[in-house]
Structures are given as structure tokens and as C-alpha cells.
Amino acid sequence: MKLTRRNFIKTSVAGLAGTTITAGVPIKAEARKITSADYGVENKVFLTCRMCAQNCPMVAYLRDGRLVRIDANPNTPYPSICGRGRAAAAALYDPQRIKTPLIRTGKRGSGEFRSASWNEALDLIGNKMLQLRDEGEPHSVAYFPRFNTASLLDDTIFNLYGTDNIFSYGDTCFGSTNQLGLGSVLGGGEEPRQGNSSVMGDYENAKIAVLIGRNPVGGLVAFPWGGMFGRGRKNGMKTVLVDPKKSLGVGETDTDWLPVIPGGDIPFLIGLAGELFKNNYYDEAFLREYTNADILINTETLLPVYLDSELDTPDYMVYDETSKTAMMKSESNSPAIFASCEVDGIKAKTALQLLKESCEKFTLKQAAEKSGIPEEKIIKLAKDLNSVKPACFLERGYRATRYFNSLHEKYLISSINGLLGVYGRKGGLIYGRYAYLDTPFSYNDSNEISVNMWFKENMEGFELCDPYNMRRTFPLAVEREEPYKIRMAFLNGQNPVGGSVGGYKIAQALEKMEMVAAVSPFWNESLLYADVILPDTTFLERAEPLFATYKATFPVITVHNQVVKPMFDTRNGYWIMLALAKRIFSDDEYYDNFNDFEQGGIKYIVDYQLENLELNDEDAATFSRRKLIEDGVWCGAAAPLKPMNKPTPSGKLEVYSLFMANWYNLLMQQDRTQEAQYYSPLYDYPPAYYQTKKDKLDSDEFIPITGFSPLSSFTGAQTRNNILLKNIGQNLNYSAVFINTKKGHDLGLKSGDIIEIFNIEEPNMVVKSEVQLTETVEPHALFSFYGVGTGLYTKLSDKLSVACPIGFNPNHIGNLTFMPVEASAPSQDFIVKIRRAK
Ligand code: SF4
């Protein structure tokens, strides 16, 4: 079959027809067909995809020891992998992989290195780490791991060594905004962070999915999303895409694309909520039973008039419809959801009354103007949702923080889902379940506070930052030398320069290090600043422990076998970490912590994981070690449907978030009114950062937006120089930037022209890219796929001959700004200008 864009994408998303039921698990009928693998022509190896962080179960096929193809593991209810996963073979056999240890010879950023032996390279790193430990400053080492390194082992080594400065990339993709936005409604603790799999769309049973910033087919086609989404489409699910860019893979006929102005999701959401209120399209029974719609709120402070959240069942004041008085909820038989009253001289309204009135401050016309989505589209969507609720939902999107107002956006989405009564309902949003896999390695806390925790505890504006999933504090800490000097960076698979907005600031911080060590199979922007580079294997060349797939409605455990022997002079991440441990720990420390692993290898970890696996009775009945090894994957049962599963202050789903109200009130008391507006519990519209800079964009100005494709990964490290993906991607011009046709014509541009792009606040950093004119981009937006070209770091072109030598990565030149209080760095909240290249 000739590989074209169309059939590639088709074959990359799971086929959905012909399912059969075997041992309680639906299995694709095709999986039972006899293939050449059954005759011994090909060997079959089960593994877990590590081309991105989703851990999709897959199977690799070998002929004569050579990897010839990769497919989805058929032994799951939703066999599905994406183009990136299928193209892993091209990453494995990429002739421009890093083949030997390297030591820098030119200045940082120049890309000049010489080959070195493993001993020389490891000794350099080990000696520096020993020196810093001897000087009492192990905490001055900043460690940057990624999902595809020595899973379970590497963090332990750095903790034992004495640093808590483990800078995860979590703020780039899931991070605070998504977690707090959802948690503010669903609850979960003092800082209610809810992960991406806390609730998931029940695609298979949904009638309408409103996709805001996430498209499971056009973007991140993860297991089991891709398969569930595909089945939903087959079952007649309609999709409404609210995005400045119409994505790949969204059908023409049964998808309504609502091109929203970048940063304009909130006015759209307020307009939509206003229609739900105006037409009584909300789910009244659900709101009464499961939400805090009835809680009486002081209209001045926006806090509850009275709340006792210490009780087993929290109690609060409501307005009783029968007696027409305010009383405790526990005493009321008929609490009102819409009411205004006075309690001891305090003006009070029910939460739902306040939410409704906050929408009324914003006319539908204003909502349409500010969002770019026509009034009639908003009216129709509200009506359609009403007709199918609760079998519908608003997806709150992926990638954490795009704009200053993203937290408020995620809150509104989560609250509106409450108005529609979709939580824990068939076809709505259902709670995920996750298999927890333990680690045999223990952690030792450093004596020094981590940079992130110090910022959280000491810096105004960082009070709600996520101390475990942030890396944007690194350049700030280096610049300010607070709370202490960071002297060494160790990049293990992570590419913060290419993957984090404000990449140029991170590059500047790396330049100040006494040493930058790096472990990676592939070249990337950050490696240009390394002093020593150790060539890791790819995931195909090493066995790894068991993985839990975490973005699923049911628990999934996958195995990861080694597919081929390591190529070139590469070593797997576990070997590298142990070699380093031998150099930086005493014999006793090494023996106590790592001898068992050295003797037993990956099997030692797997045995530990299985011995400590805790399953409920239902799952235990379907789990067996033998079957896991034979099938390469085990899938448990989905959680039963229920409307909520985490505690909240009011004991109910908080369509009116008391977490937000508390922060709003606190910030107002501290006269931090600008920041407070981002924490309003009402349906308000705090501006994006770029909107505070300019009311109206000039004709040559755009807001850069980015998105996944099934062909490129977040930082491009595994996919940028991948010949298979390039062959498909060039049919899509995926290394170009895309702007609206009329805007392009007005600027005298045509598709294929080369343009220059720069941030209006950083005009000296100019990036070149090809431009494509299209009707599928909203006029204010300039779209690029994640991590495709070499962008600002043209020195990479010598090392990545398959990658596009130009191309735009907004992370390279984006402002490093921090969202108020929650402190994520908005990734798309800046203005770029374009001009024809000279
Ligand atoms: S989504 Fe694609 S790249 Fe990511 S793990 Fe799954 S198959 Fe691999």
C-alpha cells in the first residue's frame, strides 16, 4: 500500500469494527487472525510506547533481528497507537542519533563537540558532582528528568545524592491550570489538584462532545482515547471544536468548528452559560442534589454566609423556599437554588443566583464579539446540549496554561459541566481509575528546601504554584541566585529550551552553569548548551519496569520488553544511572540502595511492583502475572458511575467554587485586585496578558498558537528528525506556520513564501518559516505544530538533516511570564509580528 497522508492517519487510529468479547474483555476480531508472526517468520515483542508520555501498549515485529513494524497491542479493549508510535523504528535507525559520549569543544550553543570514552565522560560528571557534595552543596544540582529516562531509578539517585531540585516538565503539559481549574469544582484537598485522568469524556456514549483545546483524533491520539473517541463517532457522537485552528482529523460533516479568538474562550463560555440560564437548560435536579448551587453567599465578600466544613457532612446556610427564611441546609426541606435575601444585615444570594447574574452582565452580543463566535452558534450549541444532556460534556483541553486567564477558563468549563449535570453520568464525564505501581527505591529528602518550594513559600505571586511539576522557576532562581546558587544542570531526556515557553531564558540560565550534563538519544536545543553528553538508548533498545497507563477510565498495566540490542556506542538509562551512582556514592551507600537492582536488573523492579500490587476484588479476579506477560497488557474494570469522588469544602460539587472564592477574598484583602480578578468565583472575564498590552492587533500581528499532531511530539526530540514522519508531514506542510487566507492576502503573502516572525517584546530574536494560507485558522492566530523545525536554533540543522532547517517554535521566543498566584507560564500569551523574509 502506498503511504499517503490519508491512509497513514487512518491506519494510525484504531479500527473499530468487528469487536468480539473474550474473557470479559472486548478484543478486536482482527487480532485473532493468523499473521506471519504466528508462523515464526516474525518475532513479536510486547512493549510500551515511549515516543510521548502516554504509555500506549504496543507490539513490535522483528525479522532477522531487525525491527520492521510496530502496531497497537491487540489485547486491549481499545487497541490504538498514533503515527508517532508507529514511526518509532525510524527514530531507532536514525543515522544522526548521538552515537558516542561527547564533550564540548566550542563555546556553549555552538554545537561543537568531540567524541569521548564512557569513562572519560562519566568521570567528568561524577567528579563535578562529588566536588559539589564535598562542598556541602549537592542541592545546587538541578535535575531535569523526562518520562523516557531510567524510570523509577533516576529521581532516587538525585534525591540520595542530596538535591530536591527535580524540575519536572509537568507545568508544560498538564500542570497547575488544568489541575486547579478542575479541582476547584470537583474538590480534592486544600489545593484541589485533579489530574488529567480524574474525569474523562465518555465518548462511546456521548451525543455531543465540545472539544476546547483538545482533539483526540487530530492531536494526541493516546490509548485509549483514540479508540474510545473513534467508537463514539461511530455511535453518532457529534463534535463541536472550539479552537482557533481546525485540527487534522476532525470530520467535515459531523463537526461544527467554532473558530475562537485566541484567549477568547471565556466570553464564549459566559455566553453559553448565559443561554443555559436564560432558557432553563441547566439540569435542575442534578444541581439540587449534587452541587452547592443552593449555598447562600455574602454578595460583598463572595464567601459563604455560614459554612461548617469540619462536619462529616459539611453544612451551610441556604434559603428555605417554604418558610422563606435562611437556615442551615441540614434543617431545610426545600433549599432554593435561585434566591436573594438578607441574613443578619448581610446581603446574600444563592450561588446559582450569583452565577446567573454574573452571566447577565455580559450580553450575548458581547460574548460573540469578544470570542469571535457568532451569537447564533452559541444559541444553537446551548439548545443542542440541552436536548442531549447529560450525554454531553465540555472537554477542558490539554496543555496546561495558554493564557493568563486559562485557570478561570478551566474553572468555567468545569462549572458549566456541573450546570449540565454531566459528572458521573453515562455519556458525560466519568471518573478514571489508575493502577498504582510501587517502586522498590526509597527517597531521602535533601536538607535544603527545593527552589520550587522556596518560591511557593516566599514569593508573592507564587502561592499556588505546583512545587512538584514546575521548571519555569529554574531561570528565575538562576538569575536571582535565590534561595541559593544553582551550579550544575543535569538534563536527562528533557529539552527545556525547546519545550518551555521562554526557552531563550532557559538557555541563558544554562550558560551560567558550572557544568551542564545531558543524557539523550537525540539532538535537541538544550544539548547545544551541554558540556558532556551521554548517548542513551531509545526505549526500543531496553527493557523497563511495568507501566500504568494513566489516562484511562480503567486501570491498565503494560509490560516493556527490549526489542533490539543497543545500537552504536549507546547505553541504556539504567546502566548510565548505576555507572553514575558508583562514582558519586560510597561503597556502602551504593550497596545498600542499588546492589539488589544491579544483581536482579529490571526483573527485580517488576517483581517488586507485582508483589506490592493492590487490586480490588473485581480486578484481582482478572489479573494474572502469566497473562500479563503473555498478552503484554492487562486492563481492569472501569469505576462505577457516581457524581463525585473527592471532598470539597461544601461537601458538594462546587459549581460555585469556594476554593476560588477564598483566594479571591484573600487577594482583595491584600489589595491585590489585579490578581484577584483571575480567582473570581463568578463567571467573569479576566483578560489574557496580551490583551492588557493592546486592544487591537495590527494587521501584521498575530497570537501564536500551537497544537499536537499525530506526527510530532511536544519538543520534537523523537519526531523531528524522523524520516517516516517527515514523509507524511511534508504533505501537510507541517513545518510551516498557518495564517488565515485573507489576512495573508492583505499582507501581500501567498502560500510557500518565507516569512520572519518575532515577538514584539523581544524584537531581536527573529525566526524564519514558510507560511501557508488557509481558511482553517482564525484570523488573529498564527498556528504551528509542536517542535517540527529547528527554529531559532539553526545550529541544530547540521545535526538534524531530516528536520526542516527553518520553522517556528513559539517556545523559543515566547515571554517568560507567570500567571498570577498559580504561577504557571502561559505558553501562547504574546504577540508576534510577521514580515516577508529579506
Ligand atoms: S500517543 Fe502515540 S506517541 Fe504517545 S505513547 Fe501513544 S502511540 Fe506513543
Side-chain angles (χ1 to χ4, degrees):
M1 178 176 69
K2 188 167 179 286
L3 203 57
T4 64
R5 174 207 161 187
R6 182 174 290 272
N7 63 33
F8 181 83
I9 290 172
K10 202 166 121 200
T11 54
S12 295
V13 178
L16 300 160
T19 53
T20 181
I21 305 291
T22 307
V25 179
I27 306 290
K28 273 180 71 182
E30 295 92 312
R32 295 295 173 226
K33 285 181 191 162
I34 292 173
T35 70
S36 51
D38 295 301
Y39 289 100
V41 176
E42 292 180 339
N43 287 329
K44 198 163 68 167
V45 180
F46 289 118
L47 72 161
T48 308
C49 184
R50 311 290 274 149
M51 289 290 277
C52 83
Q54 313 308 319
N55 296 347
C56 299
M58 42 166 53
V59 55
Y61 294 88
L62 293 116
R63 271 181 201 229
D64 302 326
R66 194 171 167 87
L67 174 64
V68 290
R69 111 178 156 269
I70 293 175
D71 216 333
N73 185 325
N75 301 315
T76 80
Y78 305 93
S80 49
I81 57 169
C82 76
R84 294 181 296 271
R86 287 181 191 279
L92 170 69
Y93 296 122
D94 177 358
Q96 287 183 300
R97 277 178 56 178
I98 302 168
K99 300 184 180 107
T100 63
L102 298 171
I103 291 175
R104 181 169 61 83
T105 52
K107 68 179 175 54
R108 283 203 174 120
S110 68
E112 291 163 23
F113 294 87
R114 69 168 170 84
S115 300
S117 70
W118 274 96
N119 273 338
E120 183 188 7
L122 281 163
D123 284 348
L124 261 179
I125 299 170
N127 288 339
K128 184 70 192 175
M129 290 180 73
L130 277 177
Q131 177 209 330
L132 294 175
R133 206 185 198 199
D134 287 346
E135 290 172 10
E137 296 191 28
H139 52 273
S140 71
V141 177
Y143 181 56
F144 294 79
R146 202 154 190 248
F147 60 85
N148 51 356
T149 52
S151 173
L152 301 183
L153 177 67
D154 51 352
D155 286 5
T156 306
I157 286 180
F158 281 83
N159 275 145
L160 279 174
Y161 167 75
T163 181
D164 274 350
N165 285 314
I166 297 185
F167 289 99
S168 154
Y169 63 98
D171 54 348
T172 311
C173 48
F174 58 92
S176 298
T177 301
N178 248 351
Q179 293 177 324
L180 285 177
L182 181 64
S184 62
V185 171
L186 298 192
E190 200 176 326
E191 282 182 23
R193 299 179 192 276
Q194 295 270 353
N196 277 308
S197 51
S198 302
V199 284
M200 302 184 63
D202 182 11
Y203 295 117
E204 283 180 271
N205 297 301
K207 300 284 183 240
I208 299 176
V210 182
L211 309 174
I212 305 181
R214 176 188 286 167
N215 171 11
V217 170
L220 192 58
V221 196
F223 166 84
W225 286 347
M228 294 169 107
F229 185 84
R231 283 192 199 168
R233 295 298 291 266
K234 269 200 133 188
N235 294 343
M237 175 184 72
K238 300 263 185 278
T239 52
V240 178
L241 182 66
V242 182
D243 199 309
K245 169 79 168 76
K246 186 173 187 177
S247 314
L248 294 170
V250 169
E252 301 296 325
T253 53
D254 48 2
T255 294
D256 203 1
W257 175 46
L258 306 184
V260 67
I261 292 172
D265 304 49
I266 290 178
F268 158 74
L269 291 166
I270 297 175
L272 180 67
E275 285 301 297
L276 299 182
F277 280 122
K278 192 169 81 190
N279 299 292
N280 297 347
Y281 288 162
Y282 48 84
D283 187 330
E284 184 175 336
F286 186 90
L287 285 167
R288 284 184 184 280
E289 181 154 7
Y290 299 116
T291 77
N292 68 349
D294 53 1
I295 188 169
L296 273 180
I297 299 293
N298 178 329
T299 56
E300 201 171 311
T301 63
L302 298 186
L303 293 172
V305 171
Y306 182 81
L307 165 72
D308 189 344
S309 49
E310 298 298 314
L311 300 170
D312 286 347
T313 304
D315 206 1
Y316 52 79
M317 193 160 274
V318 297
Y319 183 77
D320 186 75
E321 279 170 327
T322 312
S323 64
K324 308 283 185 225
T325 55
M327 62 176 69
M328 295 305 289
K329 168 124 176 153
S330 56
E331 293 163 5
S332 170
N333 290 322
S334 53
I337 53 172
F338 293 105
S340 304
C341 63
E342 245 184 62
V343 186
D344 296 336
I346 297 170
K347 285 199 171 49
K349 294 185 180 185
T350 62
L352 208 60
Q353 181 75 36
L354 278 171
L355 294 181
K356 182 178 180 210
E357 289 177 12
S358 63
C359 290
E360 286 165 355
K361 282 194 221 143
F362 213 72
T363 65
L364 190 57
K365 186 160 175 277
Q366 286 171 315
E369 275 171 13
K370 300 276 183 198
S371 67
I373 298 175
E375 289 177 52
E376 61 275 14
K377 291 278 189 187
I378 300 174
I379 293 169
K380 179 174 183 306
L381 179 59
K383 195 171 169 192
D384 291 348
L385 290 170
N386 178 55
S387 68
V388 301
K389 71 176 194 297
C392 59
F393 52 85
L394 275 59
E395 269 269 16
R396 73 192 187 287
Y398 199 66
R399 195 155 193 204
T401 315
R402 291 183 167 89
Y403 309 100
F404 259 42
N405 56 19
S406 287
L407 173 61
H408 201 68
E409 177 216 352
K410 307 302 178 198
Y411 163 50
L412 293 200
I413 290 170
S414 306
S415 176
I416 292 170
N417 279 320
L419 299 185
L420 291 165
V422 307
Y423 288 111
R425 311 280 288 278
K426 189 174 176 187
L429 291 170
I430 51 181
Y431 292 96
R433 285 188 66 222
Y434 177 71
Y436 177 71
L437 293 170
D438 209 347
T439 166
F441 304 109
S442 60
Y443 289 71
N444 263 10
D445 280 343
S446 152
N447 289 330
E448 293 289 337
I449 190 169
S450 72
V451 163
N452 280 338
M453 195 57 87
W454 185 87
F455 271 65
K456 185 176 176 67
E457 291 177 357
N458 295 283
M459 287 272 289
E460 186 172 293
F462 280 72
E463 294 95 327
L464 281 175
C465 84
D466 175 354
Y468 307 109
N469 289 298
M470 294 242 344
R471 65 181 173 191
R472 274 74 173 265
T473 44
F474 169 70
L476 266 192
V478 172
E479 192 179 306
R480 302 164 63 115
E481 297 195 3
E482 280 185 314
Y484 39 73
K485 195 170 177 181
I486 302 274
R487 298 171 62 186
M488 175 175 175
F490 194 116
L491 311 172
N492 196 348
Q494 205 185 112
N495 174 19
V497 176
S500 250
V501 66
Y504 70 100
K505 290 261 185 194
I506 295 171
Q508 286 166 4
L510 290 177
E511 291 209 52
K512 291 185 180 160
M513 295 295 104
E514 291 171 25
M515 175 176 276
V516 179
V519 179
S520 175
F522 308 107
W523 283 101
N524 63 50
E525 293 88 330
S526 305
L527 295 195
L528 296 176
Y529 296 86
D531 300 299
V532 190
I533 301 174
L534 305 175
D536 197 0
T537 57
T538 65
F539 71 104
L540 297 161
E541 299 158 279
R542 62 175 179 245
E544 295 197 25
L546 300 176
F547 290 102
T549 296
Y550 46 90
K551 286 175 187 152
T553 52
F554 47 87
V556 182
I557 297 175
T558 62
V559 302
H560 185 97
N561 294 302
Q562 183 174 347
V563 177
V564 293
K565 289 190 187 132
M567 299 186 57
F568 316 115
D569 190 15
T570 63
R571 303 276 198 278
N572 79 59
Y574 294 92
W575 183 95
I576 294 171
M577 282 295 119
L578 283 190
L580 187 65
K582 278 193 174 128
R583 283 166 170 81
I584 60 177
F585 295 125
S586 68
D587 289 349
D588 284 351
E589 274 178 310
Y590 183 88
Y591 187 86
D592 289 349
N593 290 288
F594 306 112
N595 185 58
D596 287 345
F597 174 59
E598 186 177 333
Q599 300 304 315
I602 295 295
K603 185 173 177 302
Y604 164 74
I605 308 181
V606 171
D607 285 345
Y608 187 92
Q609 290 174 313
L610 289 172
E611 275 160 25
N612 291 280
L613 195 59
E614 288 180 20
L615 299 174
N616 67 23
D617 290 348
E618 193 178 354
D619 288 336
T622 67
F623 182 85
S624 88
R625 179 179 184 141
R626 183 187 56 77
K627 195 154 164 41
L628 173 68
I629 304 300
E630 270 176 22
D631 289 353
V633 64
W634 167 82
C635 300
L641 293 181
K642 56 180 176 178
M644 69 182 292
N645 71 350
K646 290 273 160 75
T648 62
S650 64
K652 300 280 186 175
L653 283 173
E654 298 204 335
V655 286
Y656 180 96
S657 169
L658 299 184
F659 167 76
M660 299 290 264
N662 278 331
W663 274 95
Y664 171 82
N665 192 268
L666 191 71
L667 293 166
M668 290 299 279
Q669 281 179 23
Q670 295 174 358
D671 287 331
R672 294 162 67 184
T673 49
Q674 287 294 318
E675 292 165 281
Q677 61 183 324
Y678 293 90
Y679 292 85
S680 166
L682 304 175
Y683 286 13
D684 283 340
Y685 179 28
Y689 170 81
Y690 85 84
Q691 290 164 332
T692 66
K693 296 283 153 191
K694 269 195 139 174
D695 282 342
K696 195 169 179 304
L697 300 183
D698 294 344
S699 61
D700 60 348
E701 290 177 343
F702 297 83
I703 304 303
I705 62 165
T706 53
F708 271 104
S709 82
L711 305 175
S712 58
S713 66
F714 202 53
T715 65
Q718 293 99 285
T719 54
R720 186 159 34 193
N721 210 48
N722 188 304
I723 191 76
L724 274 176
L725 296 173
K726 183 179 179 179
N727 285 343
I728 305 301
Q730 62 194 9
N731 292 330
L732 312 173
N733 287 309
Y734 78 151
S735 55
V737 295
F738 298 79
I739 62 170
N740 185 270
T741 304
K742 178 166 183 325
K743 283 272 293 257
H745 285 161
D746 290 348
L747 293 168
L749 295 170
K750 60 181 187 320
S751 288
D753 284 349
I754 304 299
I755 58 167
E756 292 179 341
I757 307 166
F758 59 94
N759 177 347
I760 62 169
E761 293 183 53
E762 298 285 351
N764 294 327
M765 290 186 293
V766 180
V767 184
K768 281 188 183 167
S769 180
E770 180 187 326
V771 68
Q772 285 289 318
L773 309 189
T774 172
E775 295 300 324
T776 62
V777 174
E778 198 281 332
H780 296 81
L782 176 142
F783 176 83
S784 59
F785 288 111
Y786 285 146
V788 176
T790 57
L792 194 63
Y793 296 87
T794 49
K795 289 271 187 262
L796 275 179
S797 296
D798 301 343
K799 305 183 186 306
L800 303 173
S801 60
V802 172
C804 180
I806 56 174
F808 177 55
N809 177 343
N811 285 336
H812 290 167
I813 62 168
N815 301 337
L816 187 67
T817 49
F818 290 87
M819 149 84 193
V821 186
E822 179 258 314
S824 294
S827 58
Q828 302 182 169
D829 207 350
F830 60 102
I831 301 168
V832 295
K833 259 190 195 298
I834 68 170
R835 63 188 174 217
R836 186 186 295 278
K838 297 176 190 109

